[in-house]
Structures are given as structure tokens and as C-alpha cells.
Amino acid sequence: MPSLRRQSLPLLFIAALASATSCQSPQSYPAIPALAGCTDRTRQFQGQTRRYLLTVPELSPAQRRAKMPLLIVLHGLGMTPESLVHATKGRFDEQAREHGFVVAYPAGYEKSWHDARADPLGPAHLAGIDDVAFLRTLILKLRDEYAIDAERVYLTGLSNGGFMSLRAICELGELVAGAAAVTAQLVPDQRCTFARPKRLMMINGTEDTVVPYASGTIRVRGDDRGLALDTERSFALLSQWPGCASDGADEIALPALAPGARSRAY
């Protein structure tokens, strides 16, 4: 059976996880080469025009014989797909080209996602945007258009996007096989039910002053943006998935990513 492994790393690692590239490089950003097949797309959803960037790699004859995984990357609050792309230097597209998977970078409503927090200021929260349904329709659309392996659909996200990725994995059932959430935890009263194991990675910083590693209030520029559970508690709850085990793996020291930082995985 797969096991869940907890990750506790400094915030400096955040920029290395989520990665993307866009079809065009805005003048305010240095150019990043785009993959063939990268497109800027829109679709109508609940009366609004929603946008996403899509990278479909060129495949070798051997790769074409197998269905491709799909990775959906969710930006943080106040970001766009392009700003996330350029902050992370297009590393996911490099991996997509090498390993043959599709990457989608949807844009949140007014640069925000309606995650599971009770955020009194988030534009998507205030507008009641159903982002779980939006991600569901996006996944199904891409499965219809491309040879996507339905068993290998994954999400990753940063901060607001990380919280959204956890909400999605909890509520999208069999559509999503796993998630990697950066600077995000579960929130009080969040419910997750699963019929089979899923893969999960959480990356949080113990000294984070915005999203506390321990349970508490998330504060952005002094404003209350909802509550988060303790990181350890979040993983304990998620490890109750059927077939999963968090059996006390040994703590592993990792190379320090900044002077005075301590990184560990366990």
C-alpha cells in the first residue's frame, strides 16, 4: 500500500515546486521559451469567461502509444498564470517535454481561488465562485480533447492555490489521483472522503508568518484571511485515507536551502 510522507521545508523552497510557462512572454518578464502546442485558452463557465494556459508537449513515437498524465498548477493569491510561470522559470514544462505529460495553468477569479477557508476578503469567496466545479469541467474537457490517463490527474498549488488543491483533492473524488500543496493545510471542519488511496505532498515552513505551520489565523498584510489547521494535524487526518499508512517514517535531514535554515522530511 502507498504510504504518506510528511514534508516540512523552509519557505525558500516554495518557488522551486510549482512551475509553468506561457505561450507569450509579457514585456515585464524575461522571455521563457514555450513548448510547441502551448496555447492561451478561454472557456465559458457559470456565465463568466475563465482562462487557462495549456502546454501539450511534442511526443516521441514511443510516448504516443501511452496515455499522458495531466498536471494542473494553481497560482497564489494576487498572481496570474504568467507571474507564476516566470517566478518558477518554466520547470514544469521542462519536465513535461522530457516525460510527456500535459500541464494546465488556470487563472483564478480576480487572481484568487475559492478554497475551503472562510476568507472574508477573497474575491472568489465573496463572489461565491464554484472553483471545484470549474476544475471538474476543466479536467473532463482536457480528458475529452487529449489522450489523458484518467488515473494520473494531479494538482499542485501555492498558498491560495495550495489550499485550493487540497479542497479539490477532497471534493473531486476519483477525478484526481494526488496533489502537492505548498504553504497550505486543511482548514477547520474540512471534510475529505475517499474510496481509494491518493498521493499527497505538503510543503510548509515552520517560520512562515502568513500561513502558520501550527494552527492559527492566516494574515495577509495584517488582514484576517481565515483559519488553518496545524500542519501535523492536517497530515494525520489525511493519512486516514483507505489503504494509506503514516507509520512513523524516520526523520531525514536535508541540505539547508538558506543560511541557518533546517530542512527535514519524515
Side-chain angles (χ1 to χ4, degrees), residues 81-82 100 135 157-158 175 188 202 208 230 240 245 260:
E82 287 85 357
L135 292 174
L158 167 65
L175 281 180
M202 293 173 65
D208 193 331
D230 182 281
Q240 296 173 12

Side-chain angles (χ1 to χ4, degrees), residues 9-38:
L9 302 175
L11 283 174
L12 292 177
F13 188 64
I14 290 172
L17 178 71
S19 311
T21 191
S22 63
C23 306
Q24 303 293 331
S25 293
Q27 292 181 356
S28 57
Y29 298 116
I32 294 178
L35 294 181
C38 177

Side-chain angles (χ1 to χ4, degrees), residues 25 60 68 91 95 104 129 153 165 170 172 181 210 215 236:
S25 293
S60 67
M68 297 179 290
R91 293 190 184 97
Q95 293 296 308
I129 303 298
V153 176
S165 69
C170 285
L172 285 179
V210 177
S215 60

Side-chain angles (χ1 to χ4, degrees), residues 50-222:
R50 300 294 298 262
R51 174 175 166 267
Y52 61 98
L53 300 178
L54 184 69
T55 293
V56 180
E58 295 181 334
L59 301 179
S60 67
Q63 288 174 320
R64 293 192 190 100
R65 289 194 287 269
K67 289 190 174 184
M68 297 179 290
L70 168 64
L71 176 64
I72 297 178
V73 184
L74 305 179
H75 60 73
L77 180 67
M79 299 181 74
T80 64
E82 287 85 357
S83 64
L84 178 59
V85 165
H86 289 275
T88 51
K89 302 180 181 178
R91 293 190 184 97
F92 273 145
D93 279 350
E94 293 173 3
Q95 293 296 308
R97 174 165 27 199
E98 181 177 352
H99 299 290
F101 61 88
V102 175
V103 188
Y105 314 100
Y109 173 79
E110 295 187 5
K111 303 180 181 180
S112 70
W113 299 102
H114 190 174
D115 59 34
R117 293 171 298 149
D119 182 353
L121 299 176
H125 291 78
L126 294 174
I129 303 298
D130 190 346
D131 277 322
V132 173
F134 169 62
L135 292 174
R136 178 185 293 111
T137 62
L138 179 60
I139 291 169
L140 293 176
K141 175 179 176 59
L142 294 176
R143 280 174 44 177
D144 286 342
E145 291 185 2
Y146 300 97
I148 300 296
D149 185 343
E151 299 295 316
R152 293 190 292 169
V153 176
Y154 302 96
L155 291 144
T156 187
L158 167 65
S159 192
N160 185 196
F163 282 98
M164 189 65 223
S165 69
L166 291 176
R167 180 175 186 183
I169 197 175
C170 285
E171 298 184 27
L172 285 179
E174 301 302 296
L175 281 180
V176 177
V182 187
T183 321
Q185 299 103 282
L186 294 182
V187 305
D189 300 321
Q190 187 168 352
R191 295 287 180 265
C192 299
T193 57
F194 309 100
R196 63 184 177 90
K198 300 195 180 191
R199 298 184 182 277
L200 176 69
M201 182 179 188
M202 293 173 65
I203 300 176
N204 292 328
T206 56
E207 302 302 317
D208 193 331
T209 58
V210 177
V211 180
Y213 187 86
S215 60
T217 300
I218 299 165
R219 297 193 183 280
V220 179
R221 299 185 181 91

